[in-house]
Amino acid sequence: MLATGLALNPDITVGLMDTDITGPSIPTMLGVAEETVHGSAAGWEPVWAGDNLACMSIQFMLPDRDAAVIWRGAKKSGMIKTFLKDVVWGDLDFLVVDTPPGTSDEHLAVNSYLKDAGVDGALLITTPQEVALLDVRKELAFCRKAGIRVLGIVENMSGFVCPSCKHQSQIFRASTGGARKFAEEEGIRFLGAVPLDPRIGMACDYGESFLENFADSASAKAIRGVVKGVVDELGLKDIVLEDDE
Amino acid sequence: MLATGLALNPDITVGLMDTDITGPSIPTMLGVAEETVHGSAAGWEPVWAGDNLACMSIQFMLPDRDAAVIWRGAKKSGMIKTFLKDVVWGDLDFLVVDTPPGTSDEHLAVNSYLKDAGVDGALLITTPQEVALLDVRKELAFCRKAGIRVLGIVENMSGFVCPSCKHQSQIFRASTGGARKFAEEEGIRFLGAVPLDPRIGMACDYGESFLENFADSASAKAIRGVVKGVVDELGLKDIVLEDDE
């Protein structure tokens, strides 16, 4: 969503790297799951989802959609290195790296292989419950230990408005204060809360752009707010497309 | 939930092993997050959550709750081996192993170290969307490759009934037929669909038993149905406590 939010601006070019080697979802979500990666003399060509969004995922290399990648950590790290070294990313304005949850091989690999280029920062994503924040606290500890700047935290699945009666339910309740309180306590930026919307899951399944197709929804507005906050936190300006309103 | 569902019967003893080394949630969900593991001459003592539910998780060994475990795959596998070899599990009727998503070190470790004891089978958990089923298809491929019997599949987060107007929303929509169709296509058992209920997340955060405290809820009934299906699939009988009705 961060990558597609940035790519709403046709003047900037975004790369999106899927480091979830055993459960790659990004090609499906971008509607390019059927694509394969082509090699050239210069290296592997990423798959383009639109004019200004280049994407790389192990899913593009599988013999069939459902094939399992049964790899230990060292091999996963090697593939992430390849994604960074041998993919012809071209002239990108942003490279967004999506990682699976945890603090293990994928995270160490990204940090180590991008050390010289420099990682601008990490975006933490949680849901409101304490069991989710428990993991995110560990991810924050990892970032601090690894010297990675934390750009902020987003609360996903934050409330649901019944389409029939407009009653709002906290399906995943913030029993310990959710991401907002967490951000306050830890001195990091709270970038926003994205409410549950069935159309998000549908758009992901069908590989359609939720941000474009449902631009007026509360969730799309919240996501655009997150993108704006990230860009602001990076000290950049005039990059995110403003709402027309 | 499978482990706590089995442990509703006071006559059987259940072990629950948390193989999520970088994001352990089970101690919180069982209300024993503050416990630590004690060593004895025979090995490490698991933490008991009630009279007949023994639990082991790396969370019990951390200096503080939020400490990150920044370990590569090989080290994670080593800890799983230790959980199996050096923990004094005692005389268990069931050992339930909870794994993180994926098909990597944790899954290979469990399968390899339990090879001689024999794994009775794997329970697949999904949510209704295609992006979730995509991962589960890879997990099924892993089980088939590794020779692990699949006991069945459960669909979690399956619909939500508005507490105000009783309107049912499919927040995570089964755009490709969900777990039921998946089970049919793959010839595995569909063990049931568990609807979203805010009280599940609350019970997990507070370490309380959802199955006991909200026994009459649709979700608790569905979960008890899953436990019954698993026990039935294993060829066992009269182990799961029946509803009073």
Side-chain angles (χ1 to χ4, degrees):
Chain A
M1 286 286 189
L2 175 62
T4 52
L6 290 166
L8 287 176
N9 183 340
D11 295 334
I12 65 170
T13 307
V14 183
L16 176 56
M17 191 171 105
D18 183 0
T19 68
D20 196 341
I21 305 295
T22 63
S25 308
I26 285 176
T28 299
M29 289 162 65
L30 292 181
V32 291
E34 305 302 318
E35 301 287 330
T36 50
V37 160
H38 300 285
S40 73
W44 291 348
E45 290 290 330
V47 169
W48 288 86
D51 288 335
N52 59 338
L53 179 56
C55 166
M56 182 51 73
S57 168
I58 197 158
Q59 185 69 28
F60 299 134
M61 304 170 188
L62 300 184
D64 66 88
R65 184 193 59 172
D66 301 343
V69 179
I70 306 170
W71 286 2
R72 295 182 184 276
K75 217 165 162 189
K76 292 194 286 187
S77 297
M79 181 52 71
I80 291 170
K81 187 176 182 182
T82 301
F83 283 174
L84 286 167
K85 239 182 90 241
D86 299 336
V87 171
V88 192
W89 287 104
D91 225 359
L92 297 179
D93 296 299
F94 293 93
L95 176 63
V96 177
V97 178
D98 185 48
T99 71
T103 53
S104 191
D105 298 279
E106 300 85 347
H107 315 81
L108 289 164
V110 170
N111 194 43
S112 126
Y113 301 132
L114 280 179
K115 196 141 232 168
D116 291 334
V119 175
D120 287 312
L123 179 62
L124 301 176
I125 320 276
T126 186
T127 52
Q129 320 95 285
E130 171 58 24
V131 289
L133 286 167
L134 196 64
D135 290 359
V136 172
R137 278 196 208 95
K138 293 178 193 293
E139 281 154 19
L140 178 63
F142 169 78
C143 287
R144 287 182 171 156
K145 214 163 194 167
I148 300 169
R149 180 176 160 206
V150 173
L151 302 172
I153 186 165
V154 183
E155 183 171 287
N156 198 6
M157 305 194 185
S158 183
F160 174 68
V161 176
C162 175
S164 175
C165 72
K166 308 298 168 198
H167 176 81
Q168 182 167 357
S169 295
Q170 299 301 324
I171 297 184
F172 300 106
R173 259 181 237 187
S175 58
T176 55
R180 191 183 292 271
K181 184 157 168 245
F182 174 83
E184 265 171 40
E185 285 167 357
E186 297 291 348
I188 60 175
R189 185 165 176 165
F190 177 66
L191 289 161
V194 181
L196 279 165
D197 186 326
R199 295 171 297 184
I200 297 176
M202 293 291 274
C204 289
D205 276 6
Y206 290 122
E208 286 169 1
S209 171
F210 175 75
L211 290 178
E212 288 181 282
N213 294 358
F214 304 102
D216 289 333
S217 64
S219 298
K221 284 178 183 170
I223 293 166
R224 281 207 304 280
V226 171
V227 178
K228 225 174 145 175
V230 166
V231 167
D232 177 65
E233 191 70 20
L234 290 171
L236 303 168
K237 274 188 179 171
D238 303 328
I239 278 183
V240 179
L241 285 189
E242 293 290 332
D243 295 357
D244 290 329
E245 47 188 312
Chain B
M1 286 286 188
L2 174 62
T4 51
L6 290 166
L8 287 176
N9 182 339
D11 295 333
I12 65 171
T13 306
V14 182
L16 175 56
M17 189 171 106
D18 184 359
T19 67
D20 196 340
I21 305 296
T22 64
S25 308
I26 285 176
T28 299
M29 291 162 64
L30 292 181
V32 292
E34 305 302 317
E35 302 285 331
T36 50
V37 159
H38 301 283
S40 74
W44 291 348
E45 290 290 331
V47 169
W48 290 85
D51 289 335
N52 60 338
L53 178 57
C55 167
M56 182 51 72
S57 169
I58 195 157
Q59 185 69 31
F60 299 134
M61 303 169 189
L62 300 184
D64 66 89
R65 184 195 59 172
D66 301 341
V69 179
I70 306 171
W71 286 2
R72 296 184 183 277
K75 215 165 162 188
K76 294 194 285 187
S77 297
M79 182 51 71
I80 292 169
K81 187 176 181 180
T82 301
F83 282 174
L84 286 166
K85 240 182 91 240
D86 298 336
V87 170
V88 191
W89 287 105
D91 224 358
L92 297 179
D93 296 297
F94 293 93
L95 176 63
V96 177
V97 179
D98 186 46
T99 71
T103 54
S104 192
D105 298 280
E106 299 86 349
H107 315 81
L108 289 164
V110 170
N111 195 42
S112 126
Y113 301 131
L114 280 178
K115 197 142 230 167
D116 291 336
V119 175
D120 287 313
L123 179 62
L124 301 176
I125 320 278
T126 187
T127 52
Q129 320 94 287
E130 173 56 25
V131 289
L133 286 167
L134 197 63
D135 290 0
V136 172
R137 278 195 207 95
K138 293 177 193 293
E139 282 154 18
L140 177 63
F142 168 80
C143 288
R144 286 183 172 155
K145 213 160 194 168
I148 300 168
R149 180 176 159 206
V150 172
L151 302 172
I153 185 165
V154 183
E155 184 170 289
N156 198 7
M157 303 193 186
S158 184
F160 173 69
V161 176
C162 176
S164 174
C165 73
K166 307 298 167 203
H167 176 81
Q168 183 167 1
S169 294
Q170 299 301 323
I171 298 184
F172 300 105
R173 258 180 239 185
S175 58
T176 54
R180 190 182 293 271
K181 185 157 167 246
F182 174 83
E184 265 171 39
E185 284 167 358
E186 298 290 348
I188 60 176
R189 184 164 176 165
F190 177 67
L191 288 160
V194 181
L196 279 164
D197 186 327
R199 295 171 297 186
I200 297 176
M202 293 290 275
C204 289
D205 275 6
Y206 290 120
E208 287 169 1
S209 171
F210 175 76
L211 290 178
E212 286 181 283
N213 295 358
F214 304 102
D216 288 334
S217 65
S219 298
K221 285 179 182 169
I223 294 166
R224 282 206 303 279
V226 171
V227 178
K228 224 174 147 179
V230 166
V231 166
D232 177 66
E233 191 70 21
L234 290 171
L236 304 167
K237 273 187 180 171
D238 302 328
I239 278 184
V240 179
L241 285 189
E242 293 289 333
D243 296 354
D244 292 328
E245 45 189 311

